[in-house]
Amino acid sequence: GNSVTQMEGPVTLSEEAFLTINCTYTATGYPSLFWYVQYPGEGLQLLLKATKADDKGSNKGFEATYRKETTSFHLEKGSVQVSDSAVYFCALSDPRTGANNLFFGTGTRLTVIP
Amino acid sequence: SAVISQKPSRDICQRGTSLTIQCQVDSQVTMMFWYRQQPGQSLTLIATANQGSEATYESGFVIDKFPISRPNLTFSTLTVSNMSPEDSSIYLCSVRVAGLTGELFFGEGSRLTVL
């Protein structure tokens, strides 16, 4: 079946530090992969996505590369800011198996301190 | 993309009562879903809201507890029935937009606290 395993948090970093949040997946087909972000008190927002192997999604300085050989989609940012403090969710969609919804990881809470 | 309005944004409810959450989308979407996010946890799909017919529920969720309506392409409601403290969660409406590859758009959620 489909599942997402995400790095457990919480993660606390100083401003301008490098961020990596690990995400690996299991899928029966060829999934699309996503990172969502949830800022305090808000709903989920799509941060970036990749739809096929070796694609790199990027947005707001965040990047993630779809690695089929390692079934991974790790989120990275070179220099985090206080405003990046949020919960980050890795997710996959595998419509070819007939599943129309997204499968989410457990979320990783990031706190960036000045 | 899609702009999703959910209401209420939050509520405090008494045990045994029911509450209906509304979800309105500003454009026609192909699919609508309802998710639950329990405190400190990830999202769990409750059901797919089907236009003009009964919703499709995931394992562990039943219509009597979570009745769902979707009278047209842009509106859906979720009712949480006979609430208990274990139902305290954020409930999120989500939509899929035609032409976009797989991603879902989410409302801001409805935070329910059951006393």
Side-chain angles (χ1 to χ4, degrees):
Chain A
N2 297 310
S3 67
V4 175
T5 301
Q6 195 174 332
M7 171 181 171
E8 289 191 19
V11 174
T12 302
L13 294 174
S14 297
E15 206 165 21
E16 299 183 1
F18 184 86
L19 169 71
T20 300
I21 301 177
N22 290 338
C23 172
T24 57
Y25 67 89
T26 302
T28 54
Y30 300 91
S32 297
L33 301 172
F34 308 88
W35 278 100
Y36 281 83
V37 58
Q38 187 176 33
Y39 297 103
E42 299 185 15
L44 273 74
Q45 302 175 24
L46 178 65
L47 180 60
L48 54 84
K49 68 178 183 181
T51 58
K52 61 183 187 298
D54 300 325
D55 268 3
K56 178 186 284 189
S58 61
N59 186 25
K60 299 181 181 179
F62 291 89
E63 292 183 340
T65 301
Y66 189 145
R67 301 284 189 201
K68 188 170 182 291
E69 63 276 14
T70 54
T71 63
S72 65
F73 193 55
H74 305 321
L75 182 68
E76 297 182 336
K77 186 174 185 181
S79 176
V80 293
Q81 306 300 313
V82 172
S83 57
D84 294 326
S85 298
V87 181
Y88 292 82
F89 293 92
C90 185
L92 73 82
S93 169
D94 195 356
R96 297 185 213 194
T97 64
N100 289 301
N101 58 301
L102 292 183
F103 295 87
F104 284 87
T106 53
T108 303
R109 181 177 298 277
L110 170 67
T111 301
V112 180
I113 54 178
Chain B
S1 64
V3 176
I4 304 167
S5 301
Q6 249 185 268
K7 58 181 180 182
S9 58
R10 59 178 61 231
D11 207 340
I12 299 174
C13 307
Q14 296 299 317
R15 182 195 296 263
T17 62
S18 299
L19 182 77
T20 296
I21 302 167
Q22 297 181 0
C23 176
Q24 178 73 54
V25 188
D26 69 340
S27 56
Q28 292 191 352
V29 297
T30 58
M31 303 193 75
M32 296 182 77
F33 304 94
W34 287 97
Y35 282 83
R36 180 175 72 182
Q37 185 180 19
Q38 293 179 298
Q41 300 198 20
S42 187
L43 282 74
T44 302
L45 180 66
I46 298 172
T48 303
N50 300 310
Q51 184 195 359
S53 64
E54 189 173 294
T56 305
Y57 290 85
E58 297 298 305
S59 176
F61 297 95
V62 296
I63 187 171
D64 289 346
K65 177 66 175 177
F66 297 102
I68 289 170
S69 77
R70 187 181 173 192
N72 57 54
L73 285 174
T74 62
F75 184 79
S76 178
T77 66
L78 166 73
T79 299
V80 186
S81 302
N82 188 25
M83 286 185 284
S84 67
E86 292 72 34
D87 294 320
S88 298
S89 293
I90 300 173
Y91 293 86
L92 294 133
C93 174
S94 176
V95 304
R96 186 182 300 282
V97 176
L100 294 180
T101 314
E103 68 257 43
L104 298 182
F105 296 89
F106 287 84
E108 293 190 351
S110 299
R111 183 183 295 272
L112 301 188
T113 302
V114 184
L115 303 178

